[in-house]
Amino acid sequence: MSTDRDLSTDELDAATDEELVEWAQQGEYAAYEEIVRRYQDKAFRLAFSLMKNETDAQDVVQEAFLNMYRKLDTFKGQSAFGSWMYRVVVNAALMRLRKKKRRSEVPVSDEETEFREDDYYVASVPEWRVRADEAAENRELRQKIIEAVDELPPKYQTVFLLKEVEGLPLKEIADVLDLSVGGVKSRLHRARLHLRATLEPYLA
């Protein structure tokens, strides 16, 4: 359904995500264009981190925003729009990766490490993370960090990127990936263990 409302730039800029979604659901395409403007950089950054290729990342973002527009009437506001956006982008990227068979993932059970839902596992967060941050000015080390993250299987890499790059809280990551908080912690733990083992020789 289309409305007769002519939204001004000021109205669009001042609107909350929820208002923009509501207007877009009513047929105001300008409202959806504002949503795209707000989130396209974050969507591309995540897509590029997963695809490692600008062209593929652009295709993923385009597909994701097209899918979101098509399914906009299904968004009920039970979670933040940003969380929904991340979910659609991740799904589009992983589907493209599977089709291209760029990666092979060794099956590992996420249930091997148990966590309490209200606890955050920090024992595996080693000192190398601090040292890596301090040494990031070293070009060679920075490249090794990037390569180590690239080597992570997609399901672990996605959790790591959402937490460490995008800065999402654990509960939001759980919502994005349709996991329990414990499952997110488990995958994050495994990602960090992999990075520690890979980077240890460069941080000794």
Side-chain angles (χ1 to χ4, degrees):
M1 181 179 80
S2 179
T3 67
D4 296 328
R5 184 171 186 173
D6 186 15
L7 295 168
S8 68
T9 301
D10 289 342
E11 282 182 296
L12 292 170
D13 288 343
T16 64
D17 288 350
E18 291 75 16
E19 289 172 328
L20 290 173
V21 169
E22 183 179 351
W23 294 339
Q25 288 173 334
Q26 294 171 357
E28 291 289 350
Y29 188 70
Y32 191 71
E33 288 180 326
E34 174 63 18
I35 291 173
V36 173
R37 186 191 69 78
R38 289 185 184 184
Y39 284 100
Q40 61 185 355
D41 288 346
K42 290 183 177 181
F44 179 81
R45 183 168 63 233
L46 177 58
F48 185 81
S49 295
L50 292 168
M51 304 305 301
K52 312 297 183 297
N53 177 288
E54 183 174 350
T55 299
D56 285 338
Q58 289 174 341
D59 289 344
V60 164
V61 171
Q62 183 176 6
E63 179 180 348
F65 278 114
L66 182 59
N67 286 340
M68 281 187 282
Y69 185 70
R70 288 171 173 167
K71 299 177 181 178
L72 199 61
D73 60 338
T74 68
F75 180 72
K76 305 301 182 183
Q78 295 174 339
S79 61
F81 181 83
S83 297
W84 189 52
M85 181 275 296
Y86 280 121
R87 175 182 292 188
V88 177
V89 171
V90 167
N91 287 342
L94 294 182
M95 184 175 295
R96 184 170 288 264
L97 284 171
R98 283 194 292 269
K99 287 180 179 179
K100 295 172 74 70
K101 296 182 179 179
R102 281 184 169 178
R103 299 174 186 266
S104 61
E105 189 172 349
V106 178
V108 179
S109 172
D110 289 327
E111 306 305 322
E112 292 178 10
T113 305
E114 294 190 8
F115 301 92
R116 297 204 328 258
E117 291 293 311
D118 60 346
D119 191 24
Y120 188 78
Y121 188 77
V122 294
S124 68
V125 185
E127 186 182 350
W128 73 259
R129 291 188 65 209
V130 177
R131 285 183 283 148
D133 291 340
E134 293 174 347
E137 295 180 1
N138 182 296
R139 182 176 300 178
E140 181 181 0
L141 177 58
R142 187 163 59 244
Q143 183 59 35
K144 293 299 180 182
I145 293 172
I146 293 172
E147 290 173 359
V149 174
D150 287 351
E151 290 173 0
L152 289 169
K155 67 179 182 179
Y156 301 131
Q157 185 184 104
T158 301
V159 169
F160 183 84
L161 292 171
L162 289 174
K163 181 69 176 70
E164 303 294 352
V165 178
E166 299 300 328
L168 270 62
L170 295 174
K171 180 62 170 66
E172 188 170 350
I173 297 173
D175 291 341
V176 168
L177 300 179
D178 197 22
L179 295 170
S180 67
V181 172
V184 171
K185 291 175 182 178
S186 177
R187 293 189 183 189
L188 187 60
H189 169 54
R190 292 176 183 279
R192 287 170 172 167
L193 286 179
H194 170 84
L195 295 177
R196 179 176 64 180
T198 303
L199 295 173
E200 198 70 46
Y202 304 97
L203 296 167

